[in-house]
């Protein structure tokens, strides 16, 4: 009878006990702490969404009262945006993979990395307390003067929760920028960086430059409520439109904080499962930076009906069309990469295909909203809700789930059931379209958003029933991955070091990786996405060099 081999030491088993996790400075363990935290908030936000859809099942407001409905969509938005979408890919996949991908042993500031998670938890705990003690009803946008003068809900507490979570975002961005600049392995030049790293670099710039503006804006709201200063209140000489300028100066770039990392994930998946180098690597890399720059120049397209001048609106409309160009570059380059590729339809690739379709629809409908004449008519209708969700859920969440499936064998050291994963991808795609495509039609036909009672418009019920049915399907699609990921941790087959035969330094470490990733500093002598070399029969190709890792 053969003697059992001792389990190889890795970041999961190197130390046991609660304190070894709560005081860890290992970027991989912190990524898992974030994974648990954001999953918790994702399901809270999803629960609010389900209540919203159940209320809209019938034209009469017969499930909840109007003020409760206002709190439901407000807390759904705040939780999903600030506590799930913004941190999801950077804090989980970014934290785990950035050092591995560039050949570093950890992030530049490991203790600041842990601090960022604690700030996120403090902000999240405040938000949970806010929800349990009355909630907030201002919408996720906190628009003045309602938030500063008239709302009698927990506006300040919700604002402080978002303020604290924003500092978590800033620290994560700071860590990534310094790490990518200063800790790349020898030979890992800027032109050899994985495009996932380029996407996170661009995201980090937005986090560092944009998030402080949100913090200042929420501070001004709290100050006006407490001290009755005339910042946004017209009676005291303030300007409520100033709030919108300040808020959207952060919140439009925040859309790219959510979508850019997903674009990085999709790039890695498409290259791997089409077995090709990325078409136009430098164009895809610089389009990430271009999106980060242009993202700061288009905020007032949210304000075309807020009394801005026609000339300002014209400039922002043109700039909004311009920001679509780098996004289009990515989509065309992904499509060109797929062309004549040896495509494998594994679960991560199905999510990437879903991302391509849904993000493209979201982007094209964004051009409708950038057109002044159309925007006036569809502003504050369900058309905007559908567009926003096609970008955020169809784009960011599809990218996040694709990345989780792609790197799960590396994170956990276990394989998930591929059949169930493909089924979940299909259910999510169908459920998503069934939920949100009817909302384009509702908005075009004139149904305003944020209404809990549409009994004066009963003809909209059929589309709302379709949307609610889709939300139920979508909920099942989101539950499935959580179930089989947890199942795989205990019962899944052990994962090989590189189950996808993928390029990149992270696949040259064992699964799961050791605490310090690499025993010796790796030296990079190959170009990014060298799939032609990986798949060639020539075993002396540069990719076959051994990278020393801790065993």
């Amino acid at each position: 009878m053969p003697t059992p081999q001792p389990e190889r030491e890795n970041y999961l088993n190197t130390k046991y006990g609660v304190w070894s996790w709560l005081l860890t400075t290992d970027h991989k363990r912190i990524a898992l702490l974030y994974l648990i935290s954001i999953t918790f908030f994702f399901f809270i936000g999803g629960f609010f969404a389900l209540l919203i859809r159940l209320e809209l099942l019938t034209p009469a407001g017969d499930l909840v009262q109007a003020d409760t409905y206002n709190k439901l969509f407000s807390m759904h938005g705040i939780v999903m945006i600030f506590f799930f979408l913004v941190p999801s890919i950077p804090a989980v996949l970014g934290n785990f993979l950035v050092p591995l991908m560039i050949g570093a042993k950890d992030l530049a500031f490991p203790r600041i990395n842990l601090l960022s998670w604690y700030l996120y938890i403090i902000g999240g705990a405040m938000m949970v307390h806010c929800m349990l003690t009355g909630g907030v009803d201002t919408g996720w946008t906190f628009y003045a003067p309602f938030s500063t003068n008239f709302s009698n809900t927990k506006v300040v507490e919700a604002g402080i929760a978002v303020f604290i979570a924003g500092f978590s975002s800033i620290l994560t961005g700071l860590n990534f920028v310094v790490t990518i600049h200063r800790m790349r392995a020898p030979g890992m030049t800027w032109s050899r960086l994985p495009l996932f790293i380029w996407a996170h670099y661009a995201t980090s710039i937005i986090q560092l430059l944009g998030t402080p503006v949100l913090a200042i804006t929420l501070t001004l709201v709290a100050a006006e409520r407490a001290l009755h200063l005339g910042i946004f209140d017209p009676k005291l000489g303030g300007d409520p439109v100033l709030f919108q300028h300040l808020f959207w100066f952060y919140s439009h770039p925040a859309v790219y904080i959510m979508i850019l990392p997903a674009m990085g994930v999709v790039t890695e998946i498409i290259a791997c499962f089409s077995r090709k180098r990325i078409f136009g690597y430098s164009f895809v890399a610089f389009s990430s930076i271009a999106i980060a720059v242009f993202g700061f120049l288009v905020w007032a397209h949210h304000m075309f009906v807020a009394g801005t001048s026609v000339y300002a609106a014209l400039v922002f409309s043109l700039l909004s069309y311009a920001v679509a160009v780098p996004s289009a570059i990515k989509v065309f380059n992904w499509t060109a990469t797929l062309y004549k590729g040896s495509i494998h339809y594994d679960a991560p690739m199905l999510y990437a295909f879903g991302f391509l379709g849904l993000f493209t629809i979201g982007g094209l409908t964004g051009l409708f909203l950038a057109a002044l004449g159309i925007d006036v008519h569809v502003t504050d209708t369900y058309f905007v809700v559908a567009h926003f969700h096609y970008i955020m859920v169809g784009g960011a969440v599809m990218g996040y789930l694709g990345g989780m499936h792609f790197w799960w064998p590396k994170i956990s050291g276990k394989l998930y059931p591929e059949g169930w994963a493909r089924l979940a991808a299909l259910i999510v795609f169908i459920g998503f379209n069934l939920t949100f495509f009817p909302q384009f039609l509702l908005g075009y036909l004139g149904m305003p958003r944020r209404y809990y009672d549409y009994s004066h418009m009963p003809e909209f019920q059929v589309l709302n029933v379709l949307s609610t049915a889709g939300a139920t399907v979508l909920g099942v699609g989101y539950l499935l991955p959580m179930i089989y990921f947890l199942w795989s941790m205990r019962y899944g087959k052990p994962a090989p070091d590189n189950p996808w035969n993928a390029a990149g330094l992270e696949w040259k470490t064992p699964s799961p990786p050791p605490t310090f990733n690499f025993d010796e500093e790796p030296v990079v002598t190959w170009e990014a996405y060298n799939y032609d070399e990986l798949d060639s029969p020539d075993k002396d190709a540069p990719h076959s060099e051994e990278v020393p890792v801790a065993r």
Side-chain angles (χ1 to χ4, degrees), residues 135-384:
V136 61
D137 65 353
T138 58
W140 74 275
T141 53
F142 294 98
Y143 264 17
F146 181 65
S147 62
T148 54
N149 284 13
F150 302 106
S151 176
N152 55 6
T153 56
K154 303 271 184 176
V155 177
V156 173
E157 188 174 358
I160 293 171
V162 173
F163 180 93
I164 294 169
F167 273 92
S168 166
S169 185
I170 292 169
L171 294 180
T172 300
L174 172 70
N175 232 333
F176 285 174
V177 167
V178 176
T179 304
I180 293 165
H181 268 282
R182 305 294 301 165
M183 297 180 70
R184 301 192 309 277
M188 180 63 81
T189 60
W190 286 94
S191 61
R192 287 176 176 169
L193 281 177
L195 289 161
F196 179 88
I197 301 294
W198 275 102
H200 276 76
Y201 185 74
T203 303
S204 301
I205 291 169
I206 302 172
Q207 288 173 310
L208 285 170
L209 298 179
T211 314
V213 179
L214 176 70
I216 291 164
T217 310
L218 294 173
T219 304
L220 291 175
V221 167
E224 180 151 322
R225 278 182 75 91
L227 305 173
H228 305 291
L229 304 175
I231 305 164
F232 306 124
D233 184 356
K235 291 203 300 289
L236 300 172
D239 182 1
V241 176
L242 171 62
F243 175 88
Q244 295 188 36
H245 279 292
L246 289 170
F247 181 84
W248 289 114
F249 185 78
Y250 163 78
S251 293
H252 191 79
V255 171
Y256 302 114
I257 293 177
M258 303 175 224
I259 203 69
L260 270 169
M263 290 172 162
V265 168
V266 167
T267 306
E268 301 296 319
I269 293 171
I270 285 176
C272 177
F273 291 100
S274 58
R275 311 306 299 168
K276 281 178 69 181
R277 290 178 189 261
I278 285 291
F279 181 86
Y281 169 95
S282 55
F283 280 90
V284 180
F286 285 110
S287 67
S288 293
I289 306 299
I291 287 171
V293 173
F294 276 112
F296 281 104
L297 304 176
V298 296
W299 75 89
H301 72 209
H302 296 269
M303 301 167 57
F304 288 158
V305 296
T308 53
S309 77
V310 175
Y311 300 108
L314 183 63
V315 170
F316 279 104
S317 177
L318 288 169
L319 286 168
S320 300
Y321 275 86
V323 80
V325 174
S327 298
I329 286 171
K330 288 184 184 292
V331 173
F332 287 131
N333 283 35
W334 290 328
T335 309
T337 305
L338 290 166
Y339 180 63
K340 290 190 175 177
S342 175
I343 295 173
H344 299 256
Y345 296 96
D346 295 281
M349 191 59 158
L350 296 183
Y351 281 107
F353 278 133
F355 174 95
L356 277 175
L358 302 178
F359 174 74
T360 303
I361 293 172
L364 289 172
T365 51
L367 299 179
F368 285 54
L369 295 167
L372 295 173
I374 298 174
D375 183 80
V376 168
H377 290 284
V378 296
T379 289
D380 276 336
T381 70
Y382 268 87
F383 192 92
V384 176

Side-chain angles (χ1 to χ4, degrees), residues 399-411:
Y400 173 68
L401 289 173
M404 284 301 297
H405 284 79
F406 187 48
W407 284 291
W408 184 254
K410 184 59 62 181
I411 292 170

Side-chain angles (χ1 to χ4, degrees), residues 1 25 28 68 75 130 150 228 241 282 295 351 391 450:
M1 184 176 173
T25 54
K28 299 180 290 299
T68 307
M75 294 186 294
C130 168
F150 302 106
H228 305 291
V241 176
S282 55
Y351 281 107
I391 296 285
R450 299 183 172 181

Side-chain angles (χ1 to χ4, degrees), residues 436-511:
F436 294 107
F437 196 82
Q439 295 180 17
F440 279 127
L441 304 177
L442 284 168
Y444 173 75
L445 293 170
M447 181 172 175
R449 63 177 176 172
R450 299 183 172 181
Y451 275 37
Y452 88 113
D453 180 331
Y454 57 99
S455 48
H456 58 299
M457 308 175 271
E459 65 274 17
F460 293 146
Q461 184 175 7
V462 173
L463 290 169
N464 272 300
V465 168
L466 268 178
S467 192
T468 299
T472 312
V473 175
L474 189 60
V476 173
Y478 286 149
L479 272 171
L480 273 176
M482 190 178 77
I483 293 167
Y484 60 68
F485 279 157
L486 288 171
W487 177 90
S488 73
M489 289 290 287
R490 177 152 192 154
Y491 302 107
K493 294 176 184 173
D497 293 349
N498 190 353
W500 314 116
N501 194 23
L505 280 177
E506 77 270 28
W507 299 106
K508 296 180 185 295
T509 63
S511 298

Side-chain angles (χ1 to χ4, degrees), residues 37-62:
S37 314
I38 69 160
T39 303
F40 170 75
F41 282 105
F42 177 74
F43 282 104
I44 287 181
F47 173 70
F48 289 139
L50 198 59
L51 290 177
I52 292 167
R53 289 307 330 156
L54 287 172
E55 169 58 68
L56 295 172
L57 202 54
T58 56
D62 47 14

Side-chain angles (χ1 to χ4, degrees), residues 76-115:
H76 165 70
I78 292 169
V79 168
M80 281 302 204
I81 289 167
F82 298 113
F83 294 95
F84 175 72
L85 284 166
V86 168
S88 59
I89 298 178
V92 179
L93 296 175
N95 251 329
F96 195 94
L97 294 165
V98 165
L100 284 165
M101 283 186 163
I102 64 173
K105 292 194 172 185
D106 207 317
L107 287 169
F109 307 116
R111 287 185 176 84
I112 288 180
N113 195 22
L114 181 62
L115 174 63

Side-chain angles (χ1 to χ4, degrees), residues 2-13:
T3 55
Q5 292 293 315
E7 190 179 10
R8 178 184 56 79
E9 187 174 290
N10 59 62
Y11 82 98
L12 290 169
N13 66 14

